[in-house]
Amino acid sequence: MRVLFATAEVAPIAKTGGLGDVCGSLPKALAALGHEVIVFMPYYRQAREWFEANGVVPEVAVPTTQVIWANWSAESTVLTTTLPGSDVPLYLIANDFFFDRRQIYATRDDGFDDFLLRYTFFCRAVINGCSTLGIAPDILHAHDWHTALMPVYLDSGLRGNPAFRATRSVYTIHNLNYQGVAAANAFSITGLHSRYWRPDAVEHWGQVNPMKAGILFADQVTTVSPNYAREIQTPVLGAGLDGILRSLSFKLTGILNGIDVEEWNPESDEHLRSTYSAERLAGKNLSKRALLREAKLAYRARTPLMAVVSRMADQKGFQLLIPILTRLLRLGAQAVVLGSGEAAIEDGFRAAEAENPKSCRVWIGFDNALAHRIYGGADFLLMPSMYEPCGLNQMYALRYGTVPVVRLTGGLVDTVHPFDGSNGDVANGFGFAAPSSDELFAATWLAILNYRDAKTWKQLQRNGMAVDFSWDRSAHEYEDVYERARTI
Ligand code: ADP
């Protein structure tokens, strides 16, 4: 099959979270199964910097042309290279006005947030690029709200374009809570006919809602874990779209994300002070010592090192952790925290660091190499998420023998099997259900107590390290979804 990925993020070139990880690794797994996969992403400033730093010079595939849709027009240049570490073609849509910004999702310089226009332009430029380059996909695979309008464009006459005559669409929800909602007067930006301004199309309670439209118009919809697929059909986690998702559940599939097992491999990770495996865990202790040195914290035998690596957003549940962090540290633990995002959360962690200078270190920022060193050196990872579509951090942690302590929601339920004292043969972490600080405290305390029992701890580590999180299994499930999209 020829599969076209249209996505706002591709790791390691430009990512802010799991969307980038998936779109950087799933195409390679599908290509390994024999499919022809083509990826389109915006040529952000961050992408240009990544290419410069890595000595890659993308070539011009389509010289600057005018992309025109309805009353809108903007210049696009299409560059080409390959997805790092593969032969998968990667096309980059360049337009400096839209994409040369200080951050991937930054507003315009004047502060105006032109998000709908930037990504509508991106969708239209991908369509133009495919027509010019003669790319006729069997499957158009759109991701999250940024490219959600593409299945709608297929419905609205794009099948008259030879490149898209036989194209079927698959839409993946990586996070239902970011829907790309804009005011009603932004509808003209989509360039769609007014017949799409209806509750069974782009309109949702008087606003433009690209994600809803993507769900409605795609031939198949997937999300990133089986448990999240169930949860988003409930009012609690359905973000206002649960009714639509329930009514369309016949075309909704939850597929657990895989991880790039080459990039995330403790046996060969060049970011680590010392590599290690499930059989040779001594290297993990050396990595822990190196991480503590970097954090300017003293190494103390039998003292567990807790870690957080995360976007700092309400979703991640740090409002449960911050009020009890000092109490946890006083139980005899240390903590390292890496993340950036909302100021209130960053400040909360900074305050905890100031209160506990000998046991807590907080790094505010985004640093992939440091994230590797933290997974390699920490004893356990805290993820008290309020919701978590799949979660990759806990999978990286499991692979690195770093035992996750998680709130049992979304993909965390599919991947973490909490220790209950008697299931040492299968358990690989600790879990709690209610979104309360007390429950998080109890689960973390249980982890601290069990850390002191070296035999149990090693068993939990080994159980986690033995899980196969490679893309092989999930890539086959996507294949099945593509087949269903083609045969309906
Ligand atoms: P989400 O997509 O909701 O942010 P995921 O767990 O699916 O959560 O993916 C998060 C990804 O982003 C992981 O690869 C994680 O290591 C990475 N990440 C998050 N914050 C940081 C940070 N501050 N520095 C480095 N990597 C980070």
Side-chain angles (χ1 to χ4, degrees):
M1 263 181 273
R2 182 179 287 157
V3 184
L4 171 73
F5 269 60
T7 172
E9 297 186 24
V10 174
I13 298 163
K15 85 161 189 183
T16 67
L19 167 65
D21 287 297
V22 173
C23 291
S25 49
L26 176 57
K28 292 195 255 181
L30 289 165
L33 294 179
H35 300 289
E36 185 188 340
V37 190
I38 298 142
V39 182
F40 273 81
M41 72 179 290
Y43 190 53
Y44 301 109
R45 178 187 301 178
Q46 292 70 19
R48 194 187 67 224
E49 289 170 352
W50 190 90
F51 290 126
E52 279 167 12
N54 289 277
V56 178
V57 185
E59 289 166 17
V60 175
V62 184
T64 306
T65 49
Q66 208 68 22
V67 176
I68 299 167
W69 72 105
N71 295 326
W72 301 85
S73 102
E75 277 182 358
S76 149
T77 311
V78 186
L79 306 177
T80 181
T81 175
T82 52
L83 210 54
S86 78
D87 298 330
V88 174
L90 174 67
Y91 290 95
L92 302 129
I93 301 293
N95 173 309
D96 285 351
F97 177 72
F98 287 130
F99 299 130
D100 185 17
R101 298 191 182 176
R102 135 188 88 71
Q103 283 167 357
I104 293 175
Y105 297 124
T107 61
R108 263 181 3 200
D109 281 348
D110 62 5
F112 180 74
D113 196 351
D114 57 351
F115 62 97
L116 189 63
L117 182 59
R118 303 170 80 200
Y119 287 103
T120 300
F121 161 72
F122 174 66
C123 294
R124 301 302 320 188
V126 172
I127 290 166
N128 273 33
C130 286
S131 306
T132 312
L133 293 162
I135 297 170
D138 299 306
I139 295 291
L140 158 66
H141 193 160
H143 298 266
D144 269 353
W145 74 265
H146 321 90
T147 51
L149 290 176
M150 295 195 74
V152 193
Y153 293 137
L154 272 184
D155 182 82
S156 73
L158 196 55
R159 288 209 172 90
N161 176 329
F164 293 95
R165 196 172 2 238
T167 306
R168 295 293 174 160
S169 58
V170 173
Y171 177 58
T172 296
I173 302 165
H174 296 260
N175 189 333
L176 187 68
N177 284 58
Y178 298 89
Q179 299 176 4
V181 173
N185 61 8
F187 177 70
S188 75
I189 292 173
T190 66
L192 288 163
H193 188 274
S194 58
R195 72 174 185 276
Y196 288 93
W197 182 247
R198 289 199 329 229
D200 59 355
V202 175
E203 192 223 317
H204 191 57
W205 300 108
Q207 293 179 304
V208 177
N209 190 318
M211 180 165 274
K212 170 182 169 174
I215 292 167
L216 287 168
F217 284 89
D219 294 307
Q220 290 286 313
V221 178
T222 73
T223 189
V224 290
S225 70
N227 192 46
Y228 192 59
R230 286 187 289 274
E231 289 176 345
I232 58 178
Q233 296 178 58
T234 66
V236 177
L237 290 176
L241 298 181
D242 49 293
I244 288 157
L245 288 160
R246 274 197 302 281
S247 68
L248 297 176
S249 62
F250 62 89
K251 65 170 187 180
L252 173 66
T253 311
I255 303 177
L256 195 67
N257 283 338
I259 60 172
D260 186 329
V261 288
E262 279 164 30
E263 191 196 341
W264 298 96
N265 184 356
E267 293 185 44
S268 57
D269 192 329
E270 55 197 32
H271 300 296
L272 298 189
R273 162 73 178 72
S274 174
T275 56
Y276 59 91
S277 66
E279 289 69 45
R280 293 178 294 105
L281 275 166
K284 183 162 177 69
N285 198 258
L286 294 176
S287 293
K288 176 176 175 178
R289 285 171 183 263
L291 177 63
L292 285 167
R293 267 198 305 280
E294 188 174 355
K296 300 195 172 59
L297 298 176
Y299 175 81
R300 285 190 249 132
R302 296 168 59 77
T303 298
L305 178 60
M306 314 185 285
V308 166
V309 178
S310 182
R311 284 187 296 124
M312 292 193 173
D314 282 347
Q315 170 198 344
K316 301 296 178 180
F318 298 126
Q319 58 276 37
L320 307 184
L321 175 62
I322 289 168
I324 57 164
L325 190 49
T326 296
R327 271 168 66 210
L328 286 171
L329 295 168
R330 287 183 186 156
L331 286 176
Q334 295 170 303
V336 289
V337 175
L338 168 64
S340 62
E342 288 164 28
I345 305 175
E346 293 180 359
D347 291 348
F349 278 121
R350 278 208 195 93
E353 180 186 42
E355 201 179 338
N356 305 280
K358 293 200 172 136
S359 55
C360 181
R361 176 80 171 97
V362 175
W363 289 284
I364 300 297
F366 191 98
D367 185 338
N368 187 46
L370 179 55
H372 279 254
R373 295 196 293 277
I374 292 178
Y375 296 120
D379 295 303
F380 46 95
L381 180 83
L382 300 178
M383 281 183 83
S385 305
M386 306 309 280
Y387 70 91
E388 194 62 74
C390 175
L392 296 170
N393 291 341
Q394 82 281 10
M395 294 201 247
Y396 300 145
L398 287 164
R399 190 155 161 78
Y400 280 69
T402 303
V403 176
V405 180
V406 305
R407 177 154 176 265
L408 294 166
T409 181
L412 297 170
V413 171
D414 293 311
T415 49
V416 177
H417 306 297
F419 184 50
D420 65 9
S422 64
N423 61 348
D425 51 335
V426 291
N428 59 18
F430 294 84
F432 64 102
S436 87
S437 290
D438 286 346
E439 291 238 354
L440 169 60
F441 185 85
T444 314
W445 192 4
L446 201 60
I448 294 172
L449 292 175
N450 279 286
Y451 173 82
R452 293 177 186 151
D453 174 1
K455 196 159 159 262
T456 303
W457 196 257
K458 208 166 261 181
Q459 187 62 49
L460 297 177
Q461 287 181 299
R462 289 196 167 134
N463 289 346
M465 294 177 88
V467 181
D468 177 11
F469 287 123
S470 68
W471 270 105
D472 297 350
R473 170 186 35 83
S474 304
H476 281 293
E477 292 183 53
Y478 277 101
E479 240 179 357
D480 293 343
V481 169
Y482 294 160
E483 281 302 340
R484 285 205 286 284
R486 291 178 76 189
T487 49
I488 51 162

